[in-house]
């Protein structure tokens, strides 16, 4: 594993030079050189903290709207006489839509600003969520309307995380990106908890329609507040002219995109994120079944709630730790690798311990530690893409997330095959460990933190232009 090292005479000169663009450091080297536009657009720290809280709430509501259908699926199946296959078609259609807008969302965010894409998409998927019961009741074939609605939800929500990556790379200084991404990432766990508790209560008291109405209207309200108070009521208009101009970020042609993908560090973040997403989706999908099969008398709320309670503070801690180390002068690449080592390496140890678990409390403890350590990737590979290519971080993160979503679906299916073929959960946990180690070794070997979206042959500080 990479050893943390402070910048000094033994540190990489390229990394030191790149650090100089941080306004918290010593300034841009060489006044005669062309200055980068990114540092001039960074949020001041108080504004960055406000945006962090707002984006945390937005991600929480994103998952509230996303998980509304799984929570209500049983009640809707009874209402509309759906089979298990029908339920699977409705639930699975979300992920197909989710894969298709990742790259597009990141590309548009890099050109016009991630805050505009976040606002427009949140208003759209919030309205879609609130309108879902209407579609279900007034359509002659609810199964088709719900499948289409979930597919559109996936399309609209697919731009969220690439837009976050783009916004963070453009507006947040390097030494504070880990905290923002880990904090915002914890919103997914918070949203799962909120909708799991409050949504279940609303489902019992007021019916399944109330879950969609409340989560959808709160999402629209969040979008309105962001537009009113953070964007000062300015219209988030996205025009063809703005897409073509590229805004403050440099434009990359097809040839330069090919050159970017030939960089070992870029391939490393894509492969590592693919492995991280695959193992996370597998654990998320199969852990409830594992507990039901292994401990039939266990209380469901225990193993469905405790791991997420652990994941939230763990994610926040990882962000604070990584930013603290970078602010103290430790090498950024080494810090990213350290975070990923905990996320994929140490967590795999506790995943393997599940193979020999004999008691329910031990199993819950191992799963909680595993899920908690997995969140360290928010300060590792997830933010490393912003170190490598801030000019196209959104589009590149979209590529990563698309690969991760597709591979995650395939690994979930393959894990089910292993369970049926071997009759043992140890095979699944072993598979998760192997995939984690492949991603970890790749990241430790090839990951970097220097910019690779600049043309070094034309000068150290010159951006790539068409």
């Amino acid at each position: 594993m990479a050893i943390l090292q402070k910048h000094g005479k033994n540190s990489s000169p390229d990394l030191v030079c790149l650090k100089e663009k941080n306004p918290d450091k010593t300034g841009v080297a060489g006044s005669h050189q062309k200055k980068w536009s990114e540092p001039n657009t960074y949020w001041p720290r108080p504004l960055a903290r406000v945006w962090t809280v707002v984006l945390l709430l937005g991600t929480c509501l994103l998952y509230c709207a996303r998980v509304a259908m799984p929570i209500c699926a049983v009640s809707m199946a009874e209402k509309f006489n759906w089979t298990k296959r029908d339920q699977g078609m409705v639930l699975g259609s979300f992920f197909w839509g989710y894969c298709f807008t990742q790259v597009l969302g990141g590309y548009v965010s890099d050109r016009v600003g991630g805050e505009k894409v976040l606002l427009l998409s949140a208003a759209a998927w919030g309205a879609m969520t609130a309108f879902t019961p209407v579609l279900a009741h007034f359509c002659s074939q609810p199964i088709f309307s719900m499948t289409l609605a979930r597919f559109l939800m996936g399309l609209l929500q697919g731009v969220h995380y690439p837009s976050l990556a783009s916004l963070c790379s453009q507006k947040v200084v390097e030494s504070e990106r880990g905290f923002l991404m880990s904090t915002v990432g914890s919103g997914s766990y918070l949203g799962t908890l909120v909708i799991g508790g409050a949504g279940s209560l609303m489902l019992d008291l007021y019916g399944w329609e109330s879950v969609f109405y409340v989560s959808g209207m709160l999402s629209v309200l969040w979008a309105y507040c962001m537009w009113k108070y953070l964007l000062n009521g300015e219209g988030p208009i996205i025009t063809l002219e703005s897409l073509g101009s590229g805004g403050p970020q440099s434009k990359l042609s097809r040839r330069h995109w090919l050159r970017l993908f030939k960089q070992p560090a870029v391939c490393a973040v894509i492969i590592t994120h693919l492995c991280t997403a695959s193992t996370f989706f597998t654990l998320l999908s199969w852990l409830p079944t594992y507990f039901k099969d292994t401990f039939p008398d266990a209380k469901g709320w225990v193993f469905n709630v405790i791991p997420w309670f652990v994941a939230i503070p763990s994610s926040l801690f990882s962000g604070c730790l990584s930013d603290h180390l970078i602010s103290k002068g430790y090498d950024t690449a080494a810090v990213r690798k350290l975070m990923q080592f905990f996320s994929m390496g140490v967590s795999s140890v506790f995943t393997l311990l599940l193979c020999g678990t004999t008691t329910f409390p031990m199993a819950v403890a191992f799963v909680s530690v595993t899920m908690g350590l997995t969140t360290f990737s928010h300060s590792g590979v997830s933010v490393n893409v912003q170190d490598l290519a801030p000019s196209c971080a959104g589009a590149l993160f979209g590529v990563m997330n698309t690969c991760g979503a597709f591979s995650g679906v395939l690994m979930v299916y393959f894990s089910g095959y292993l369970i049926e073929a071997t009759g043992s959960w140890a095979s699944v946990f072993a598979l998760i460990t192997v995939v984690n180690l492949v991603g970890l070794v790749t990241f430790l070997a090839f990951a970097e933190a220097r910019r690779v979206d600049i043309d070094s042959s034309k000068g150290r500080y010159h951006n790539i232009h068409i």
Side-chain angles (χ1 to χ4, degrees):
M1 195 188 86
I3 299 175
L4 292 180
Q5 183 180 31
K6 287 191 175 182
H7 294 300
K9 51 185 179 179
N10 294 330
S11 61
S12 170
D14 291 336
L15 287 176
V16 174
C17 291
L18 291 178
K19 286 286 189 178
E20 290 175 344
K21 74 183 181 69
N22 191 328
D24 293 339
K25 306 295 182 184
T26 57
V28 179
S31 59
H32 63 283
Q33 296 285 1
K34 181 179 179 180
K35 294 183 179 181
W36 290 352
S37 60
E38 289 93 338
N40 297 329
T41 62
Y42 287 153
W43 288 324
R45 179 167 294 181
L47 182 60
R49 292 294 181 258
V50 173
W51 271 98
T52 300
V53 174
V54 171
L55 295 175
L56 167 65
L57 293 176
T59 304
C60 174
L61 292 170
L62 178 93
Y63 266 77
C64 287
R66 182 181 300 184
V67 182
M69 180 63 77
I71 286 180
C72 300
V74 175
S75 299
M76 296 178 70
E78 294 176 354
K79 171 69 176 180
F80 301 114
N81 297 318
W82 290 348
T83 64
K84 292 294 184 182
R85 181 175 298 181
D86 293 334
Q87 293 184 53
M89 183 172 66
V90 172
L91 295 174
S93 60
F94 173 88
F95 294 98
W96 294 112
Y98 188 71
C99 294
F100 289 136
T101 52
Q102 297 283 333
V103 179
L104 177 62
Y107 175 84
V108 176
S109 298
D110 291 334
R111 295 300 181 270
V112 303
E115 65 277 11
K116 294 182 179 180
V117 179
L118 285 171
L119 174 60
L120 291 175
S121 64
W125 56 255
M128 175 64 69
T129 303
F131 197 61
T132 296
V134 178
L135 289 175
H137 284 296
F138 289 95
C139 182
S140 59
Q141 296 292 334
I143 182 65
F144 295 115
S145 64
M146 290 299 94
T147 300
L148 178 60
R150 291 297 291 176
F151 178 78
L152 292 176
M153 277 287 292
L155 287 176
L156 295 170
Q157 291 198 350
V159 306
H160 185 83
Y161 282 102
S163 299
L164 284 178
S166 178
L167 183 63
C168 183
S169 69
Q170 296 175 21
K171 300 294 187 180
V172 182
V173 296
E174 182 184 68
S175 61
E176 297 182 2
R177 291 173 183 168
F179 175 77
L180 185 141
M181 290 300 291
S182 61
T183 302
V184 174
S186 66
S188 60
Y189 315 121
L190 179 61
T192 304
L193 282 174
V194 169
I195 196 66
S200 299
L201 184 62
M202 288 188 293
L203 179 65
D204 295 335
L205 296 178
Y206 306 108
W208 61 268
E209 295 90 347
S210 63
V211 181
F212 289 97
Y213 290 142
V214 173
S215 58
M217 293 307 297
L218 286 177
S219 301
V220 173
L221 179 62
W222 174 82
Y224 172 78
C225 291
M226 185 175 75
W227 168 74
K228 181 69 173 179
Y229 299 106
L230 287 182
L231 299 181
N232 299 321
E234 296 181 1
I237 300 175
I238 299 177
T239 63
L240 292 178
E241 182 180 357
S242 64
L243 290 177
S245 63
Q249 302 299 318
S250 60
K251 297 186 288 184
L252 298 178
S253 66
R254 180 180 301 178
R255 177 171 59 87
H256 291 124
W257 268 107
L258 292 176
R259 187 183 66 84
L260 194 65
F261 285 125
K262 291 180 181 179
Q263 297 285 338
V266 174
C267 295
V269 296
I270 294 175
I271 294 173
T272 304
H273 185 80
L274 182 152
C275 295
T276 300
S278 299
T279 55
F280 178 77
F281 282 137
T282 303
L283 288 171
L284 186 67
S285 301
W286 287 110
L287 279 178
T289 306
Y290 160 75
F291 278 107
K292 284 294 184 182
D293 290 349
T294 311
F295 309 101
D297 299 329
K299 298 293 184 181
W301 68 268
V302 176
F303 56 78
N304 282 329
V305 170
I306 291 181
W308 304 114
F309 268 122
V310 175
I312 294 174
S314 177
S315 180
L316 297 176
F317 171 74
S318 69
C320 293
L321 177 62
S322 65
D323 285 353
H324 174 74
L325 293 175
I326 293 174
S327 66
K328 291 298 182 181
Y330 288 98
D331 181 61
T332 303
V335 173
R336 304 299 185 220
K337 292 178 180 181
L338 177 65
M339 297 297 105
Q340 206 60 33
F341 174 76
F342 281 106
S343 174
M344 306 184 81
V346 181
S347 68
S348 295
V349 175
F350 292 91
T351 302
L352 285 177
L353 290 175
L354 288 170
C355 300
T357 302
T358 56
T359 65
F360 177 67
M362 290 177 61
V364 173
F366 292 151
V367 168
S368 299
V369 176
T370 297
M371 299 306 294
L373 290 173
T374 299
T375 64
F376 276 59
S377 64
H378 293 309
S379 304
V381 65
S382 295
V383 74
N384 185 232
V385 66
Q386 301 163 28
D387 304 323
L388 297 173
S391 65
C392 55
L396 187 56
F397 192 88
V399 173
M400 294 164 51
N401 234 17
T402 301
C403 295
F406 275 121
S407 62
V409 172
L410 293 177
M411 189 165 168
V412 169
Y413 284 135
F414 184 66
S415 298
Y417 168 79
L418 283 179
I419 296 171
E420 291 186 357
T422 64
S424 171
W425 284 94
S427 60
V428 175
F429 297 137
L431 174 64
I432 291 173
T433 301
V434 170
V435 174
N436 268 340
L437 292 180
V438 169
L440 178 61
V441 170
T442 302
F443 195 75
L444 294 181
F446 300 106
E448 299 178 11
R450 62 179 180 86
R451 287 192 65 166
V452 297
D453 60 342
I454 55 176
D455 193 347
S456 58
S457 65
K458 297 182 180 180
R460 182 177 299 172
Y461 297 103
H462 289 183
N463 287 344
I464 296 175
H465 296 280
I466 295 178

